[in-house]
Amino acid sequence: MSCASAVRLRHSDKQRPFFSSLLDQHPEFRSDWIKIVGSETKIMMTGFRLNLSPLKEPLGFVKLVEWLTAIFAFGSCGGYSGKNIVSLFCDDGRDETLDANFHYPFRLSQVPLIEGNATVCNRSVPTTYMVGDAASSAEFFVGIAVVCFLYSMVALLVYLGYMHVYKDSDFGPIFDFVITAVLVFLWLVCSSAWAKGLQNVKDATDTGGIGATLALCQGSNITCEVTEFASMRTLNISVVFGFLNMFVWAGNAWFVYKETRWHSQKLSSQLAPGRQQVPAPI
């Protein structure tokens, strides 16, 4: 042992009786000292501890799946833009085309189909807008997806770094379960609303919707037809991911519920009668 370490040991040995004698002489400080030491120990126990093992369990793995599916949900809907080509077959044999452009959040009533007093098939047509507005359902769907994306990130951070705090408290699992149950319901509502809104967008941009929007296509020899349709594959995928998220979050609710004291109390109450029936040893 070196001289420096020996000096440190002698110094620490001298400090211990000093603090003990000081607390003995002033017992009113003993409770304060215990509180200080206990608070420091609690802070050390609640610190960040990286542990990837929760990802191997259903609780953490399903949360990672929720994070990924939320990205696909709002990514496939939020950045969409498309264009339909409308062909007008005039009565004099000429053909003209119009561009029906639409994009997220699908406020079709603000998208002009014909701008200004244009001349179409030798007829003066005023500014005409498309019909329909699916902005509320689309923005609601994307908003829920973004909220779930952010909540999944925070939950993963807690699972991987503060799982020892999460399991030692009643508030964490119960809060997690309540939020998960609420998000299951919101996924059902927003996915259903967006599926209906998407169908309204399809109806407003097809041949029937465009023909009902343009006055010159009604009661005349002019035929209006959508000859090129924008691909809505990504929008259909967003609806699928919406309902998929609902099922994934519903499944995760069970694993979160198992971490709450409600499940442990129910399990202990079910095991209690069985324990009472065990005969006492002779």
Side-chain angles (χ1 to χ4, degrees):
M1 182 181 297
S2 62
C3 295
S5 59
V7 171
R8 284 197 296 268
L9 285 175
R10 288 195 296 270
H11 181 68
S12 61
D13 293 338
K14 293 179 180 179
Q15 283 182 334
R16 289 172 187 168
F18 172 75
F19 283 112
S20 300
S21 60
L22 181 62
L23 292 176
D24 292 337
Q25 295 175 4
H26 302 278
E28 64 274 11
F29 296 147
R30 185 178 296 275
S31 60
D32 296 334
W33 175 256
I34 294 175
K35 290 180 181 179
I36 293 173
V37 174
S39 61
E40 291 180 354
T41 305
K42 187 175 181 181
I43 292 173
M44 293 177 63
M45 291 179 62
T46 57
F48 181 83
R49 300 178 187 174
L50 181 60
N51 184 11
L52 300 180
S53 60
L55 292 178
K56 302 177 183 179
E57 302 175 359
L59 183 67
F61 178 76
V62 176
K63 188 63 66 178
L64 179 62
V65 173
E66 290 173 349
W67 180 70
L68 294 174
T69 52
I71 294 176
F72 286 113
F74 70 76
S76 57
C77 177
Y80 179 84
S81 63
K83 179 176 70 173
N84 285 0
I85 304 297
V86 183
S87 298
L88 288 78
F89 304 99
C90 305
D91 50 3
D92 58 358
R94 294 185 301 108
D95 297 338
E96 297 191 18
T97 59
L98 298 175
D99 294 338
N101 299 287
F102 52 96
H103 53 82
Y104 176 84
F106 308 103
R107 291 189 176 91
L108 302 181
S109 58
Q110 300 179 7
V111 177
L113 189 59
I114 297 177
E115 299 187 37
N117 294 322
T119 301
V120 180
C121 292
N122 295 326
R123 289 174 174 80
S124 179
V125 181
T127 301
T128 305
Y129 292 90
M130 301 177 69
V131 177
D133 189 349
S136 58
S137 60
E139 290 176 341
F140 181 39
F141 179 82
V142 172
I144 295 299
V146 172
V147 169
C148 291
F149 167 75
L150 297 176
Y151 180 76
S152 298
M153 282 201 307
V154 175
L156 283 174
L157 177 63
V158 173
Y159 293 167
L160 300 182
Y162 299 94
M163 181 57 77
H164 55 289
V165 182
Y166 178 87
K167 290 189 175 182
D168 289 342
S169 64
D170 292 336
F171 175 77
I174 292 177
F175 177 81
D176 194 11
F177 173 72
V178 172
I179 296 298
T180 302
V182 171
L183 290 175
V184 171
F185 174 74
L186 291 178
W187 270 120
L188 173 62
V189 174
C190 73
S191 299
S192 302
W194 171 229
K196 183 62 172 63
L198 177 58
Q199 185 59 47
N200 293 339
V201 172
K202 292 179 180 180
D203 294 339
T205 56
D206 64 3
T207 298
I210 297 296
T213 303
L214 293 173
L216 58 86
C217 299
Q218 305 171 10
S220 63
N221 295 327
I222 302 175
T223 303
C224 302
E225 181 180 353
V226 178
T227 54
E228 294 185 20
F229 290 88
S231 176
M232 295 189 180
R233 184 181 297 109
T234 57
L235 298 181
N236 295 330
I237 292 175
S238 68
V239 174
V240 173
F241 271 106
F243 286 105
L244 177 62
N245 271 284
M246 182 195 69
F247 288 111
V248 172
W249 282 80
N252 189 41
W254 165 248
F255 298 109
V256 178
Y257 171 74
K258 291 176 65 177
E259 300 294 332
T260 63
R261 57 183 172 86
W262 300 330
H263 180 265
S264 59
Q265 291 174 355
K266 181 179 179 181
L267 187 62
S268 60
S269 63
Q270 291 176 352
L271 295 176
R275 292 176 180 174
Q276 295 176 359
Q277 294 176 0
V278 177
I282 298 176

